[in-house]
Amino acid sequence: MASMSVKHAIAAAKKLRSLQERFNPGGSDIYPALMGDEAITALIPSGNPLSVHILMFTRALREQGTDEQYEKFGRRADNNEIIGTFAQTELGHGTYLRGLEARADYDRGTEEFVLNTPKLSSYKWWPGGLGQTCNYCIFVAQLYIDNEAKGMAMFVVQIRDEETHMPLPGVHVGEIGKKMGLNGVNNGFLGLKDYRVPRLNMLMRHQQVLPDGRFVKSPVSQVSYFPMVFVRCMVARQNSNYLAQAATIATRYSVIRRQSPIEEGQPEPKILEHLTQQMKVIPEIVTAVVYRLAAANLQNMYNETAEAVYRKDFSRLPELHALACILKVATSYDSTYGIERLRQACGGHGYLTAGNLGNIFAMAAPACTYEGENSVLYLQVGKILMKNWSQVLAGRELMPSMAYISECSKMTSFPQWTGSWECLLKAIQYACVGSIRLAFQSYNARVQSAQSQTAAVNYSGLELTKAAELHGRSYVAGNFYQQIVNSPNKHQRSPQFQKVLENMLELHLIQIFFRHLGDILRFIRITEDEISALQRRLEEVLKELRPDAVAITDAFDFNDKILSSALGCYDGNVYERLFEAALKHPLNRKSVPDFFEAHLKPFMKENADNAKKSKL
Ligand SMILES: CC/C=C\C/C=C\C/C=C\C/C=C\CCC(=O)SCCNC(=O)CCNC(=O)[C@H](O)C(C)(C)COP(=O)(O)OP(=O)(O)OC[C@H]1O[C@@H](n2cnc3c(N)ncnc32)[C@H](O)[C@@H]1OP(=O)(O)O
Ligand SMILES: Cc1cc2nc3c(=O)[nH]c(=O)nc-3n(C[C@H](O)[C@H](O)[C@H](O)COP(=O)(O)OP(=O)(O)OC[C@H]3O[C@@H](n4cnc5c(N)ncnc54)[C@H](O)[C@@H]3O)c2cc1C
């Protein structure tokens, strides 16, 4: 499987290169690379073994290396002359980066670093492509000078001979084993023993080790985390794509499959006529659109921040970090759970490999873990919200994506309930700020009672997580509201199109309202009549969006090859394709399977003989 994936990935990368040269000659614009990686990734159901090379290895060389280091390594990596990965996670550590055990000791006598993974738990474990594909990696290690720890640093390390692909001396490398998905990616392990690299193999754009061993600290240590921020932005984009693919499949199947009359004596309707089926499928279509728009915003913010960081302006890093964390978490959680809901909406056929929903789930699900495990990133955002709440209490301005927190903090009570979009959006934001305030009170009480900040974060973890989750909802819903209601290009939309978008906004806001009704009722008084009115609106907007469901998912414009699903093909010939797929199963090559003579027949005969004996 791995070699097939590599073959497909290389073919697709060549195609991508020709597309880039045609549409973006010599450009360094990241989109063609991303689109290409998306395309490559989507075309290789078992995952793209070059993803981490494209998304992290080349980017780390460009952003963390000096111009000279880019010329030496980065250009060859961008041109796919060398293939690398990002080797940070270890067998024993993934989240707690300051606990990473791999070490780099500077030898000023030879102006080299001596790299070691001192224990089994120090082995790098998980990096994509590391097992068999890559011949280089970015090796993340704790830097030591005269045995004094200086923090994390990144090193360009060649792990295999460029001609023979043999592991180099001092390198122990291989595949970590079968996973629940992405089995074409050959995630690997790497042990290094007294492996020497020249001083100039340490990426030194932001921090340096001089020939005499003097250490020049980075002005902002967190800039070394920047490669992870980029992938978190990518996850938001990629996982909204996975959800859109699954929503396309389930929608198309739901207008082909007929089952269970709604009126006695009437013909069986398309299953999408059932209200409960609409509630399973249509909100997922809208969620995919909502996150695509949020991910595009995040991508723009990433590009602006990356350019600023290149100019040594680190001012926007904190906001990008906060947004990248919360959108990576929100998109990966909602896409993973949404894809499973869509699979279940397709009944038994949703469980067939030919439907491809299981594989889309297996591609989407690990994003809840890699690039920062979601519950950890929720806590990270919770901490940032605590810091920002202190700013609010001090009367200081907040970063733009948190400005609503300041506004809501000035409200002594929630205004008269109207149920309008603005009211629903403000309700989610108001509940978020209420949760932040409660979390802060708990956190602050703990710090005041002499708990360390780290311990206070841990013991306030449930409230911090809730506040972070509601912050994500507030940002995403606010972004969608702005795009639909206040977009500068709104006048270019036809009235019909604007109406569909407004129905999608109505559905998203009401769906989020009901999902967090408990959180909202904690801070806002809403009557049963007002809630029942929203229930009626939910049923009504599902009915209104039903006729547009297929058109919206067709607009995602996934080629049948990308969907790779007998349930979701554009022509709707589901049963013919399911049957065609079934006949291709190896077990159908013979009428009598080999196991009949070898196992089944003797087993049944033995039982029959025993039955006869017991009658005698
Ligand atoms: C086109 C699309 C194709 C594909 C789709 C996408 C993906 C698939 C392809 C590839 C992906 C496959 C594999 C993924 C690769 C990996 O998984 S790489 C390994 C990822 N590992 C992690 O993410 C580790 C998670 N841990 C952390 O990030 C950190 O440990 C932490 C953030 C949890 C904690 O940071 P610490 O420094 O340890 O402590 P802290 O006190 O919380 O933070 C100190 C201050 O630093 C700020 N900060 C932390 N992180 C960042 C950051 N990234 N950027 C900016 N600032 C950061 C933090 O806010 C603190 O600031 P203060 O002001 O409070 O001091
Ligand atoms: C498909 C896939 C591809 C990957 N690719 C790469 C790659 O290319 N390069 C790379 O370096 N890594 C890669 N990784 C590794 C990934 O980044 C780590 O798995 C991730 O960072 C989580 O670390 P961990 O697995 O060690 O879990 P741990 O850090 O051990 O966490 C385990 C669990 O403990 C809990 N936990 C941990 N810390 C805290 C905390 N502070 N507070 C509360 N709870 C906590 C959480 O529930 C967490 O799920 C990949 C992983 C996967 C699944």
Side-chain angles (χ1 to χ4, degrees):
M1 180 182 288
S3 56
M4 187 56 78
S5 297
V6 170
K7 186 166 158 255
H8 286 169
I10 288 168
K14 284 178 178 168
K15 178 76 183 154
L16 162 64
R17 174 52 44 89
S18 64
L19 285 173
Q20 259 175 314
E21 287 317 312
R22 201 161 86 217
F23 294 114
N24 184 36
S28 62
D29 181 339
I30 58 167
Y31 280 100
L34 301 182
M35 296 307 286
D37 189 70
E38 269 168 13
I40 297 170
T41 303
L43 285 170
I44 309 173
S46 56
N48 173 8
L50 300 185
S51 255
V52 183
H53 167 73
I54 295 169
L55 293 170
M56 299 191 83
F57 181 69
T58 55
R59 186 160 296 277
L61 290 171
R62 203 175 309 139
E63 291 172 350
Q64 305 286 328
T66 61
D67 294 345
E68 298 71 25
Q69 290 174 320
Y70 177 74
E71 288 308 318
K72 181 174 181 187
F73 300 108
R75 205 165 282 289
R76 296 186 70 211
D78 278 345
N79 198 32
N80 297 324
E81 294 171 49
I82 59 175
I83 304 292
T85 186
F86 188 79
Q88 174 177 284
T89 302
E90 295 169 357
L91 191 55
H93 280 90
T95 295
Y96 185 58
L97 297 181
R98 284 177 277 175
L100 291 177
E101 297 169 351
R103 60 181 292 154
D105 291 87
Y106 184 60
D107 178 345
R108 59 169 61 78
T110 62
E111 292 190 24
E112 292 174 317
F113 291 100
V114 184
L115 306 180
N116 275 290
T117 48
K119 300 186 292 183
L120 182 62
S121 58
S122 323
Y123 263 59
K124 294 304 177 183
W125 187 276
W126 274 112
L130 179 63
Q132 306 295 337
T133 308
C134 301
N135 49 14
Y136 281 79
C137 74
I138 299 291
F139 186 81
V140 181
Q142 304 293 356
L143 170 63
Y144 285 86
I145 301 174
D146 301 329
N147 213 25
E148 189 187 327
K150 300 292 182 186
M152 269 176 29
M154 296 179 209
F155 301 83
V156 184
V157 176
Q158 182 177 353
I159 50 180
R160 291 176 180 270
D161 181 284
E162 287 192 33
E163 289 308 313
T164 65
H165 210 55
M166 276 296 287
L168 297 176
V171 172
H172 183 200
V173 65
E175 156 72 53
I176 64 171
K178 247 173 114 46
K179 304 178 289 288
M180 62 188 272
L182 295 175
N183 281 298
V185 174
N186 66 93
N187 299 81
F189 64 76
L190 171 66
L192 294 180
K193 180 147 180 49
D194 296 334
Y195 188 94
R196 287 178 172 266
V197 296
R199 180 178 68 88
L200 290 179
N201 276 43
M202 173 181 149
L203 295 182
M204 295 206 213
R205 174 171 292 279
H206 302 294
Q207 58 183 6
Q208 298 83 33
V209 172
L210 305 181
D212 63 3
R214 273 176 300 144
F215 177 58
V216 180
K217 207 169 152 25
S218 166
V220 174
S221 62
Q222 288 84 9
V223 76
S224 64
Y225 289 165
F226 209 47
M228 294 184 278
V229 176
F230 174 71
V231 177
R232 289 168 190 157
C233 298
M234 285 301 88
V235 167
R237 176 190 172 88
Q238 179 69 15
N239 273 57
S240 61
N241 248 353
Y242 289 139
L243 183 60
Q245 288 170 24
T248 303
I249 293 167
T251 300
R252 289 178 177 172
Y253 180 66
S254 295
V255 296
I256 292 291
R257 182 69 167 185
R258 289 178 174 276
Q259 200 73 201
S260 312
I262 293 174
E263 297 289 351
E264 276 304 323
Q266 291 298 312
E268 289 186 276
K270 296 171 182 173
I271 51 176
L272 200 55
E273 306 318 337
H274 290 284
L275 180 64
T276 50
Q277 183 77 1
Q278 291 169 12
M279 188 58 197
K280 286 180 198 168
V281 174
I282 299 175
E284 300 309 336
I285 299 173
V286 175
T287 301
V289 173
V290 167
Y291 279 131
R292 264 196 178 192
L293 292 171
N297 248 19
L298 182 63
Q299 192 58 57
N300 293 335
M301 182 187 271
Y302 174 85
N303 296 343
E304 291 161 10
T305 308
E307 279 164 23
V309 165
Y310 200 79
R311 298 191 306 273
K312 302 284 185 197
D313 167 5
F314 303 104
S315 59
R316 295 201 61 187
L317 256 184
E319 180 166 36
L320 177 66
H321 167 51
L323 262 186
C325 283
I326 200 59
L327 284 182
K328 183 265 186 192
V329 172
T331 316
S332 55
Y333 269 154
D334 284 357
S335 59
T336 300
Y337 298 140
I339 292 163
E340 174 54 7
R341 256 193 298 278
L342 291 162
R343 179 193 68 77
Q344 292 180 24
C346 295
H349 302 340
Y351 194 64
L352 280 170
T353 301
N356 200 35
L357 287 165
N359 188 57
I360 294 173
F361 175 87
M363 300 272 275
C368 296
T369 306
Y370 61 58
E371 222 54 70
E373 197 279 326
N374 280 0
S375 56
V376 171
L377 296 187
Y378 260 157
L379 290 172
Q380 180 70 192
V381 173
K383 281 170 60 176
I384 295 167
L385 290 171
M386 292 303 98
K387 217 175 140 188
N388 278 270
W389 189 252
S390 306
Q391 308 266 66
V392 169
L393 298 179
R396 291 196 208 101
E397 225 175 277
L398 299 188
M399 52 179 83
S401 56
M402 293 195 180
Y404 74 90
I405 295 173
S406 302
E407 289 151 30
C408 284
S409 70
K410 296 177 186 104
M411 294 163 68
T412 50
S413 66
F414 196 77
Q416 177 65 32
W417 185 265
T418 63
S420 70
W421 293 336
E422 293 75 8
C423 170
L424 289 169
L425 177 58
K426 192 53 79 185
I428 295 161
Q429 293 173 339
Y430 193 81
C432 172
V433 173
S435 303
I436 292 172
R437 186 183 287 113
L438 291 175
F440 186 80
Q441 286 163 3
S442 305
Y443 170 80
N444 211 31
R446 290 187 167 101
V447 171
Q448 297 302 326
S449 67
Q451 271 190 20
S452 71
Q453 285 192 0
T454 318
V457 163
N458 181 56
Y459 295 115
S460 310
L462 301 185
E463 291 177 296
L464 290 173
T465 300
K466 173 58 71 183
E469 181 187 12
L470 289 170
H471 171 57
R473 298 288 179 221
S474 300
Y475 176 81
V476 170
N479 181 60
F480 195 44
Y481 173 84
Q482 291 304 329
Q483 300 258 6
I484 306 304
V485 177
N486 296 333
S487 162
N489 62 22
K490 179 178 165 186
H491 62 282
Q492 293 165 2
R493 297 171 188 154
S494 70
Q496 298 82 348
F497 180 47
Q498 181 62 21
K499 178 61 181 149
V500 171
L501 291 175
E502 289 177 0
N503 281 339
M504 289 164 84
L505 177 64
E506 164 91 347
L507 177 55
H508 181 70
L509 290 173
I510 294 177
Q511 192 207 357
I512 295 299
F513 170 87
F514 276 111
R515 185 181 290 190
H516 291 282
L517 184 52
D519 299 319
I520 292 170
L521 285 175
R522 197 168 179 185
F523 306 103
I524 304 173
R525 278 190 52 69
I526 310 172
T527 66
E528 170 49 36
D529 288 350
E530 288 161 340
I531 294 171
S532 297
L534 285 165
Q535 178 64 36
R536 300 288 85 76
R537 281 169 56 183
L538 174 61
E539 293 155 2
E540 183 54 36
V541 74
L542 286 170
K543 203 166 81 182
E544 290 230 344
L545 277 169
R546 160 66 189 90
D548 302 312
V550 172
I552 297 168
T553 53
D554 282 354
F556 290 144
D557 198 19
F558 290 117
N559 180 296
D560 279 354
K561 282 195 171 48
I562 298 265
L563 296 177
S564 185
S565 170
L567 306 181
C569 285
Y570 190 76
D571 63 15
N573 294 331
V574 170
Y575 297 151
E576 294 78 359
R577 291 177 188 276
L578 281 179
F579 214 87
E580 185 189 343
L583 293 178
K584 282 181 185 161
H585 194 287
L587 271 181
N588 291 326
R589 282 192 200 127
K590 292 180 178 176
S591 298
V592 177
D594 296 340
F595 59 70
F596 175 74
E597 289 298 337
H599 306 293
L600 203 54
K601 185 174 177 182
F603 172 61
M604 292 191 286
K605 184 167 180 336
E606 184 191 342
N607 293 330
D609 294 349
N610 289 342
K612 277 187 197 132
K613 279 183 203 142
S614 65
K615 281 185 188 140
L616 297 178

